[in-house]
Amino acid sequence: REQFSLLSCLLACILLTYWLFISTYKPHILHDKSYQYLNLTTTLLTINEQQIWSLLSYVLQVDLWKPNSAYLIQENSQVDVHVGRNKTQWLRRRLRQAHIHNEVLISNLQTEIEKQIGHQTSRKRRSEFQYDYEVYHPLEDIQSWMFETNRTHPHLVELFSIGQSYEGRPLYVLQLGKRTRPFKKAVWIDCGVHAREWIGPAFCQWFVKEALNSYQHDSSMRRLMNQLNFYIMPVFNVDGYHYSWETDRFWRKTRSKIPRYHCQGVDANRNWKVKWCDEGASMDPCDETYCGPFPESEPEVKAVAKFLRKHRKRVKAYISIHAYAQMLLYPYSYKYATIPNFNCVESAAQNAVSALYSAYGVRYRYGPASTTLYMSSGSSIDWAYKNGISYAFAFELRDTGYFGFLLPEALINPTCTETMRAVKTIALGLLKKCSK
């Protein structure tokens, strides 16, 4: 009995090293004030792994924010978790017994959520006169903004759809650039691959606004728009993003239904046809990193892949905007190896991070995704690189965990301003020949 008691205690503490999703349903937390957000530092505990997996399923329901899957937790790493208030004290007591440092960063998530989704009536009223780029917008607002941007800038903007989502929503893309010649080099930028990362779509809108507003007086932006086309997809995962506004603020995946399972959705950044469903991806439909039933099973992924394949000779850079970690990542994600043009890509990343730092002194780490963040298979940057796009980057925007996915609207401006500098630096680099 004493041995089992010790085992139980260790299992409670090992939650920080081996988190397990025990519930296949996500809480509808837009209407639930009983959730908190904890930051934890893991300690490696040695115990029979089979015992952990068999017993932990009865312990606690958690929602991992960072990392996004149990098997990615490493020794002496930071773990961010969203947990029910009624279980917080129990969890913290066990953590103290195991001498694992932890703190509650957000004690009432509902209050923070309401700050970002509240006052929609007044927000819409403002947007009739002037679109507000310093607040988060629901999908309907973003799509209306795209149509208006296309209408008011006919010489620099073209709006088109590349397909439909699982739930039938159009997948809109904005093409930015001066129509000087038919076969210009191009840069692809997508945002909102993971629904809960609202700062992503906010940045894509910010990029379009800055590119159009500065075209006349900023010589570097004018040069970029004259010599390059930018394909901007403000919301990649339209179904998931809509769901994150209407039902579950922390929804991550797409919204496709999986036959014979009641769990919904696929991780759109594990569904690409490159080392699909290998390390760093899950075959369990209830996991946040579920790779899908087959590569490009998600219509959103398939549509973007089809478009990029069609234009692969012109698209020279692929940029995907995510959150959160403050990192700039490039291939490979699925293996520990150096890409052939490492020197050129590393130099571009270093210059981009330096440009970002010059705005507000915010530091970003940069490097191959597998070693800088974690190993993952079926990612978009690996697919882009494999398909001939020599410069493939994924940004993980602010912050490093204090606010997590609930980055306050007050930080949209500085986050987008510094990221704009980084993206411009990458794009300007394409206009020069790398000789390294």
Side-chain angles (χ1 to χ4, degrees):
R1 184 182 298 171
E2 199 170 277
Q3 186 178 11
F4 183 78
S5 176
L6 175 62
L7 176 62
S8 299
C9 181
L10 285 171
L11 283 169
C13 298
I14 201 77
L15 281 167
L16 286 311
T17 306
Y18 294 96
W19 283 104
L20 182 67
F21 287 95
I22 65 169
S23 172
T24 56
Y25 289 101
K26 300 284 278 184
H28 289 191
I29 58 168
L30 284 181
H31 310 290
D32 190 337
K33 301 187 179 183
S34 60
Y35 285 84
Q36 296 191 330
Y37 170 46
L38 278 74
N39 171 269
L40 318 159
T41 302
T42 67
T43 298
L44 186 65
L45 300 176
T46 304
I47 193 169
N48 183 289
E49 190 169 333
Q50 201 59 40
Q51 291 173 312
I52 292 166
W53 289 116
S54 61
L55 293 177
L56 265 183
S57 58
Y58 300 103
V59 179
L60 187 65
Q61 175 182 335
V62 298
D63 176 18
L64 272 173
W65 281 16
K66 189 170 101 175
N68 50 48
S69 190
Y71 48 77
L72 296 172
I73 298 176
Q74 300 173 349
E75 182 179 4
N76 296 320
S77 64
Q78 177 181 304
V79 176
D80 296 339
V81 60
H82 155 217
V83 63
R85 183 190 294 274
N86 62 336
K87 295 169 182 172
T88 304
Q89 293 306 316
W90 180 91
L91 174 59
R92 299 195 76 195
R93 190 162 58 248
R94 298 302 187 278
L95 297 175
R96 281 194 297 271
Q97 291 172 0
H99 307 291
I100 296 175
H101 172 74
N102 66 90
E103 60 179 320
V104 176
L105 295 181
I106 302 176
S107 61
N108 191 329
L109 284 174
Q110 184 65 21
T111 301
E112 298 305 313
I113 291 169
E114 287 171 354
K115 289 179 183 177
Q116 297 183 0
I117 67 171
H119 314 298
Q120 280 301 299
T121 304
S122 61
R123 186 170 296 180
K124 285 180 179 177
R125 197 160 52 239
R126 283 201 308 273
S127 68
E128 287 176 9
F129 301 100
Q130 186 172 4
Y131 196 78
D132 192 344
Y133 292 90
E134 297 187 34
V135 299
Y136 296 116
H137 289 277
L139 181 65
E140 295 75 13
D141 285 8
I142 295 173
Q143 291 181 337
S144 296
W145 163 83
M146 293 177 79
F147 276 91
E148 182 65 12
T149 301
N150 182 60
R151 185 187 69 82
T152 54
H153 297 83
H155 302 298
L156 292 173
V157 177
E158 181 181 349
L159 173 68
F160 57 91
S161 171
I162 59 171
Q164 284 192 333
S165 69
Y166 178 84
E167 295 180 342
R169 294 182 174 88
L171 302 173
Y172 289 126
V173 174
L174 285 173
Q175 177 183 311
L176 272 61
K178 188 75 173 174
R179 296 184 178 90
T180 51
R181 55 182 183 273
F183 298 105
K184 288 163 52 175
K185 291 180 181 178
V187 176
W188 171 276
I189 304 175
D190 61 47
C191 300
V193 170
H194 294 137
R196 61 192 179 186
E197 299 166 9
W198 286 9
I199 188 60
F203 171 72
C204 267
Q205 294 170 86
W206 189 277
F207 181 90
V208 172
K209 180 256 299 184
E210 285 296 303
L212 297 176
N213 290 352
S214 64
Y215 178 77
Q216 295 298 336
H217 59 81
D218 182 339
S219 59
S220 63
M221 182 54 75
R222 186 162 57 252
R223 185 176 170 220
L224 286 174
M225 296 277 277
N226 286 346
Q227 297 189 39
L228 298 172
N229 281 330
F230 291 88
Y231 297 114
I232 313 295
M233 190 176 194
V235 187
F236 183 112
N237 179 9
V238 288
D239 296 344
Y241 185 74
H242 177 77
Y243 190 76
S244 74
W245 274 85
E246 296 296 321
T247 307
D248 183 349
R249 172 60 182 86
F250 301 123
W251 185 260
R252 169 183 166 91
K253 301 187 285 183
T254 63
R255 292 294 299 160
S256 57
K257 291 182 172 65
I258 314 301
R260 301 187 304 279
Y261 288 91
H262 54 260
C263 297
Q264 281 186 252
V266 168
D267 185 340
N269 202 31
R270 301 291 187 280
N271 192 234
W272 296 75
K273 196 173 183 178
V274 54
K275 209 69 175 176
W276 175 78
C277 220
D278 208 306
E279 188 169 349
S282 172
M283 297 188 74
D284 182 352
C286 297
D287 277 353
E288 296 282 44
T289 55
Y290 175 48
C291 59
F294 53 87
E296 295 182 22
S297 62
E298 304 312 282
E300 300 87 351
V301 173
K302 188 172 184 177
V304 174
K306 181 180 178 182
F307 179 86
L308 291 175
R309 283 192 198 100
K310 181 179 179 181
H311 299 280
R312 73 171 78 191
K313 291 184 178 179
R314 294 197 290 119
V315 177
K316 301 302 178 183
Y318 171 90
I319 299 172
S320 191
I321 306 295
H322 295 262
Y324 58 95
Q326 291 179 196
M327 294 179 180
L328 177 54
L329 310 170
Y330 52 81
Y332 295 107
S333 299
Y334 71 87
K335 64 180 178 180
Y336 300 118
T338 301
I339 54 177
N341 64 334
F342 170 81
N343 290 337
C344 291
V345 172
E346 172 83 355
S347 176
Q350 184 178 31
N351 292 338
V353 166
S354 296
L356 187 149
Y357 177 82
S358 70
Y360 302 104
V362 173
R363 297 186 183 278
Y364 271 51
R365 293 171 57 200
Y366 64 93
S370 57
T371 55
T372 309
L373 186 57
Y374 47 65
M375 190 94 83
S376 63
S377 57
S379 73
S380 63
I381 58 171
D382 282 349
W383 182 92
Y385 190 78
K386 179 189 172 186
N387 280 268
I389 302 176
S390 301
Y391 292 85
F393 295 102
F395 279 85
E396 294 283 350
L397 302 187
R398 296 196 197 186
D399 59 3
T400 56
Y402 188 84
F403 294 109
F405 299 118
L406 289 174
L407 192 72
E409 291 179 326
L411 294 179
I412 292 176
N413 186 319
T415 301
C416 292
T417 297
E418 66 195 11
T419 308
M420 185 75 189
R421 293 193 184 188
V423 172
K424 277 182 67 178
T425 299
I426 291 171
L428 285 166
L430 297 177
L431 302 181
K432 307 170 189 173
K433 188 174 180 64
C434 178
S435 56
K436 293 185 179 182

